[in-house]
Amino acid sequence: MKLHNKLIMLASAATLTFGAFTLPAYADEAPYTVTNGNELDADSYKGFKLYRNWCARCHGTYGQGMVGPNLADSLNVISKEEFFQTVENGKSGTIGSMPAWKANVKVMEGREKLYSYLKARADGAIGVEKPKKSKNK
Ligand code: HEC
């Protein structure tokens, strides 16, 4: 077999392995950009503002946890789909009760942005500190 055919086979095997974990193609692409330590892209910064308005009173000012769990830790465990599900429908568990947000248009429309900010926290790209909005975009 020609070498490049073998390489193609290896490449498709790798794709299948990823397929088994249902990783989307963009899985390794961060949904945020952090520059100069604490400057977020415009969408993630909007996510922070939404977070501060609707989530911080239970999950801590920067997601570090309070009556609700530490979301920087959670987002390293739960999938994006689980995050969306929980935000939409709420969750009652061993820690307490998280309200459903499906009737809140701002939260529902801002879910991607909320996720981006919290993912930046989960990845340690931004710390337990007040983010700024990047001047670049
Ligand atoms: C009234 C308090 C409260 C508010 C406000 C709140 N939460 Fe929660 N949240 C909780 C509690 C308590 C839990 C834990 C439920 C359990 O599993 O016992 C939780 C759980 C979660 C989880 C699941 C974490 C995991 O590890 O499974 C996510 C994700 C989450 N909240 C996101 C949000 C977001 C985003 C917002 C803002 C839109 C928000 N929460 C607002 C109280 C709150």
Side-chain angles (χ1 to χ4, degrees):
M1 194 190 299
K2 276 187 191 155
L3 177 63
H4 84 264
N5 282 339
K6 278 190 185 160
L7 287 175
I8 288 166
M9 284 184 70
L10 276 174
S12 24
T15 314
L16 284 175
T17 310
F18 277 112
F21 291 99
T22 58
L23 282 178
Y26 52 83
D28 51 3
E29 241 175 69
Y32 55 82
T33 313
V34 178
T35 40
N36 301 321
N38 67 347
E39 293 180 6
L40 286 170
D41 63 279
D43 277 354
S44 306
Y45 186 76
K46 277 186 201 143
F48 163 68
K49 291 195 130 177
L50 282 169
Y51 175 83
R52 196 177 55 185
N53 283 343
W54 304 102
C55 323
R57 70 187 163 95
C58 288
H59 289 281
T61 315
Y62 307 112
Q64 70 272 43
M66 217 157 61
V67 298
N70 179 324
L71 291 180
D73 290 344
S74 287
L75 265 71
N76 278 315
V77 179
I78 63 173
S79 69
K80 188 175 182 179
E81 286 69 31
E82 285 171 308
F83 175 80
F84 283 177
Q85 276 296 316
T86 305
V87 171
E88 186 172 350
N89 301 313
K91 184 182 177 190
S92 284
T94 50
I95 303 164
S97 205
M98 147 97 172
W101 296 95
K102 58 179 154 228
N104 185 317
V105 180
K106 284 192 173 144
V107 169
M108 289 307 286
E109 284 181 352
R111 280 184 306 175
E112 287 277 351
K113 296 179 175 109
L114 269 167
Y115 183 80
S116 297
Y117 166 63
L118 290 170
K119 199 66 187 163
R121 288 278 299 106
D123 290 348
I126 190 153
V128 181
E129 62 178 315
K130 192 164 187 220
K132 287 184 189 155
K133 186 173 160 186
S134 165
K135 285 160 206 81
N136 301 325
K137 64 173 195 151

